[in-house]
Amino acid sequence: KKMNNLFIFSIVIGLCIGVSNAFHEIGESKVVLSNQLEHSKLLKVHCRSKDDDLGEHILKIGQDYEFTFGDNIWQTTSFSCQMDQGPNFKHHQDFVAYETSWSKALEASCKWIAREDGIYFSQDGVPPTKKYQWDGPH
């Protein structure tokens, strides 16, 4: 009897882990941050969600930083990012880089492009549109 209960418990736990992994892997979303500035300017990017801080990354012109993730089961995944324009990182912008609700599908690819005149956004290969001006010195 005791062995039977342990066996059933193990099966239930295994199924829960399998279902959890399946949900996590259903939709893999991607955010790409791209430095298309001029004059050899560096771009500092820092992204975070409620659960994860991805740290600061310095991009040279032409470089991208990307991260992938699975949307959570409650469809509340959100990442915000800050971009700072070098060399002195005086010009910056904070923005929401990804929200689950943007995409009805379970997969989305969002690209944010830093250019001299502002920050541009493209989703799933659509031509980029300007979304933000650079803010002035901190």
Side-chain angles (χ1 to χ4, degrees):
K1 179 101 176 150
K2 222 176 202 182
M3 198 61 167
N4 226 2
N5 288 346
L6 183 61
F7 179 72
I8 290 171
F9 178 75
S10 297
I11 296 287
V12 169
I13 292 298
L15 286 172
C16 289
I17 290 170
V19 167
S20 168
N21 285 344
F23 272 113
H24 183 71
E25 293 169 10
I26 281 175
E28 182 120 299
S29 296
K30 176 168 64 173
V31 171
V32 179
L33 305 166
S34 181
N35 182 352
Q36 292 183 11
L37 296 168
E38 297 171 7
H39 314 297
S40 301
K41 288 183 185 172
L42 296 174
L43 180 70
K44 180 167 54 174
V45 298
H46 189 175
C47 298
R48 58 178 63 92
S49 72
K50 187 176 63 168
D51 300 318
D52 299 301
D53 185 331
L54 304 179
E56 286 186 354
H57 301 270
I58 304 290
L59 306 179
K60 294 177 182 170
I61 288 181
Q63 285 187 321
D64 292 343
Y65 168 68
E66 70 178 56
F67 57 96
T68 57
F69 52 93
D71 287 326
N72 67 35
I73 205 168
W74 300 276
Q75 301 290 293
T76 58
T77 303
S78 178
F79 278 91
S80 61
C81 295
Q82 178 173 335
M83 287 185 170
D84 295 90
Q85 193 183 135
N88 301 319
F89 302 110
K90 289 181 180 171
H91 298 284
H92 65 280
Q93 185 57 258
D94 295 304
F95 56 95
V96 175
Y98 177 86
E99 281 188 339
T100 300
S101 60
W102 290 358
S103 176
K104 299 293 181 245
L106 287 170
E107 292 185 25
S109 179
C110 302
K111 185 168 188 173
W112 293 92
I113 303 163
R115 294 182 179 161
E116 287 297 315
D117 66 334
I119 299 171
Y120 289 72
F121 174 75
S122 173
Q123 186 170 6
D124 298 322
V126 173
T129 56
K130 186 175 176 179
K131 292 291 185 185
Y132 298 103
Q133 291 287 112
W134 289 102
D135 285 343
H138 296 282

